[in-house]
mmCIF file of all heavy atoms in Angstrom:
data_model
loop_
_atom_site.group_PDB
_atom_site.id
_atom_site.type_symbol
_atom_site.label_atom_id
_atom_site.label_comp_id
_atom_site.label_asym_id
_atom_site.label_seq_id
_atom_site.Cartn_x
_atom_site.Cartn_y
_atom_site.Cartn_z
ATOM 1 N N ILE A 682 -62.502 -53.909 22.394
ATOM 2 C CA ILE A 682 -61.864 -53.629 23.680
ATOM 3 C C ILE A 682 -62.103 -52.183 24.091
ATOM 4 O O ILE A 682 -62.351 -51.879 25.273
ATOM 5 C CB ILE A 682 -60.364 -53.951 23.602
ATOM 6 C CG1 ILE A 682 -60.163 -55.465 23.451
ATOM 7 C CG2 ILE A 682 -59.631 -53.440 24.831
ATOM 8 C CD1 ILE A 682 -58.720 -55.871 23.223
ATOM 9 N N TYR A 685 -65.613 -51.961 25.413
ATOM 10 C CA TYR A 685 -65.749 -52.585 26.730
ATOM 11 C C TYR A 685 -65.046 -51.748 27.795
ATOM 12 O O TYR A 685 -65.518 -51.672 28.945
ATOM 13 C CB TYR A 685 -65.186 -54.006 26.702
ATOM 14 C CG TYR A 685 -65.689 -54.854 27.842
ATOM 15 C CD1 TYR A 685 -67.028 -55.266 27.903
ATOM 16 C CD2 TYR A 685 -64.838 -55.231 28.876
ATOM 17 C CE1 TYR A 685 -67.485 -56.027 28.966
ATOM 18 C CE2 TYR A 685 -65.292 -55.996 29.938
ATOM 19 C CZ TYR A 685 -66.623 -56.390 29.974
ATOM 20 O OH TYR A 685 -67.092 -57.138 31.031
ATOM 21 N N HIS A 686 -63.932 -51.125 27.401
ATOM 22 C CA HIS A 686 -63.275 -50.201 28.335
ATOM 23 C C HIS A 686 -64.200 -49.019 28.654
ATOM 24 O O HIS A 686 -64.298 -48.576 29.820
ATOM 25 C CB HIS A 686 -61.966 -49.708 27.732
ATOM 26 C CG HIS A 686 -61.254 -48.701 28.581
ATOM 27 N ND1 HIS A 686 -60.698 -49.002 29.809
ATOM 28 C CD2 HIS A 686 -61.028 -47.366 28.390
ATOM 29 C CE1 HIS A 686 -60.158 -47.931 30.335
ATOM 30 N NE2 HIS A 686 -60.343 -46.910 29.488
ATOM 31 N N HIS A 689 -66.759 -50.255 31.138
ATOM 32 C CA HIS A 689 -66.187 -50.221 32.491
ATOM 33 C C HIS A 689 -66.211 -48.808 33.050
ATOM 34 O O HIS A 689 -66.561 -48.593 34.226
ATOM 35 C CB HIS A 689 -64.744 -50.739 32.450
ATOM 36 C CG HIS A 689 -64.619 -52.208 32.695
ATOM 37 N ND1 HIS A 689 -64.284 -52.757 33.904
ATOM 38 C CD2 HIS A 689 -64.803 -53.269 31.859
ATOM 39 C CE1 HIS A 689 -64.246 -54.074 33.819
ATOM 40 N NE2 HIS A 689 -64.562 -54.416 32.570
ATOM 41 N N ILE A 707 -65.920 -58.608 33.294
ATOM 42 C CA ILE A 707 -64.653 -59.275 32.978
ATOM 43 C C ILE A 707 -63.515 -58.270 33.133
ATOM 44 O O ILE A 707 -63.623 -57.117 32.681
ATOM 45 C CB ILE A 707 -64.682 -59.845 31.539
ATOM 46 C CG1 ILE A 707 -65.815 -60.851 31.397
ATOM 47 C CG2 ILE A 707 -63.358 -60.487 31.169
ATOM 48 C CD1 ILE A 707 -66.002 -61.371 29.976
ATOM 49 N N ASN A 708 -62.451 -58.742 33.770
ATOM 50 C CA ASN A 708 -61.277 -57.872 33.915
ATOM 51 C C ASN A 708 -60.753 -57.469 32.529
ATOM 52 O O ASN A 708 -60.615 -58.318 31.633
ATOM 53 C CB ASN A 708 -60.196 -58.608 34.704
ATOM 54 C CG ASN A 708 -58.968 -57.735 34.898
ATOM 55 O OD1 ASN A 708 -58.057 -57.759 34.073
ATOM 56 N ND2 ASN A 708 -58.952 -56.976 35.999
ATOM 57 N N LEU A 709 -60.487 -56.176 32.386
ATOM 58 C CA LEU A 709 -60.106 -55.656 31.059
ATOM 59 C C LEU A 709 -58.798 -56.283 30.574
ATOM 60 O O LEU A 709 -58.668 -56.641 29.390
ATOM 61 C CB LEU A 709 -59.967 -54.135 31.125
ATOM 62 C CG LEU A 709 -59.846 -53.419 29.775
ATOM 63 C CD1 LEU A 709 -61.074 -53.660 28.921
ATOM 64 C CD2 LEU A 709 -59.644 -51.906 29.982
ATOM 65 N N HIS A 710 -57.833 -56.452 31.473
ATOM 66 C CA HIS A 710 -56.562 -57.060 31.089
ATOM 67 C C HIS A 710 -56.769 -58.518 30.680
ATOM 68 O O HIS A 710 -56.184 -59.000 29.692
ATOM 69 C CB HIS A 710 -55.579 -56.969 32.252
ATOM 70 C CG HIS A 710 -54.250 -57.585 31.958
ATOM 71 N ND1 HIS A 710 -53.353 -57.043 31.069
ATOM 72 C CD2 HIS A 710 -53.667 -58.730 32.433
ATOM 73 C CE1 HIS A 710 -52.279 -57.800 30.998
ATOM 74 N NE2 HIS A 710 -52.443 -58.842 31.822
ATOM 75 N N HIS A 711 -57.603 -59.215 31.438
ATOM 76 C CA HIS A 711 -57.899 -60.610 31.100
ATOM 77 C C HIS A 711 -58.565 -60.695 29.726
ATOM 78 O O HIS A 711 -58.263 -61.598 28.922
ATOM 79 C CB HIS A 711 -58.807 -61.216 32.180
ATOM 80 C CG HIS A 711 -59.250 -62.611 31.864
ATOM 81 N ND1 HIS A 711 -58.405 -63.700 31.888
ATOM 82 C CD2 HIS A 711 -60.484 -63.102 31.489
ATOM 83 C CE1 HIS A 711 -59.070 -64.792 31.552
ATOM 84 N NE2 HIS A 711 -60.335 -64.461 31.312
ATOM 85 N N LEU A 712 -59.461 -59.729 29.449
ATOM 86 C CA LEU A 712 -60.138 -59.706 28.147
ATOM 87 C C LEU A 712 -59.136 -59.499 27.016
ATOM 88 O O LEU A 712 -59.217 -60.152 25.967
ATOM 89 C CB LEU A 712 -61.186 -58.592 28.133
ATOM 90 C CG LEU A 712 -61.954 -58.424 26.808
ATOM 91 C CD1 LEU A 712 -62.772 -59.673 26.500
ATOM 92 C CD2 LEU A 712 -62.871 -57.194 26.875
ATOM 93 N N MET A 713 -58.184 -58.623 27.229
ATOM 94 C CA MET A 713 -57.182 -58.362 26.191
ATOM 95 C C MET A 713 -56.341 -59.604 25.922
ATOM 96 O O MET A 713 -56.026 -59.932 24.766
ATOM 97 C CB MET A 713 -56.287 -57.198 26.610
ATOM 98 C CG MET A 713 -57.013 -55.859 26.668
ATOM 99 S SD MET A 713 -55.980 -54.533 27.327
ATOM 100 C CE MET A 713 -54.716 -54.459 26.073
ATOM 101 N N VAL A 714 -56.003 -60.328 26.994
ATOM 102 C CA VAL A 714 -55.221 -61.558 26.824
ATOM 103 C C VAL A 714 -56.022 -62.591 26.042
ATOM 104 O O VAL A 714 -55.514 -63.272 25.135
ATOM 105 C CB VAL A 714 -54.783 -62.110 28.187
ATOM 106 C CG1 VAL A 714 -54.136 -63.480 28.032
ATOM 107 C CG2 VAL A 714 -53.826 -61.143 28.861
#
Side-chain angles (χ1 to χ4, degrees):
I682 292 174
Y685 199 69
H686 177 67
H689 268 261
I707 300 175
N708 181 270
L709 192 61
H710 179 70
H711 176 71
L712 178 63
M713 293 174 64
V714 172

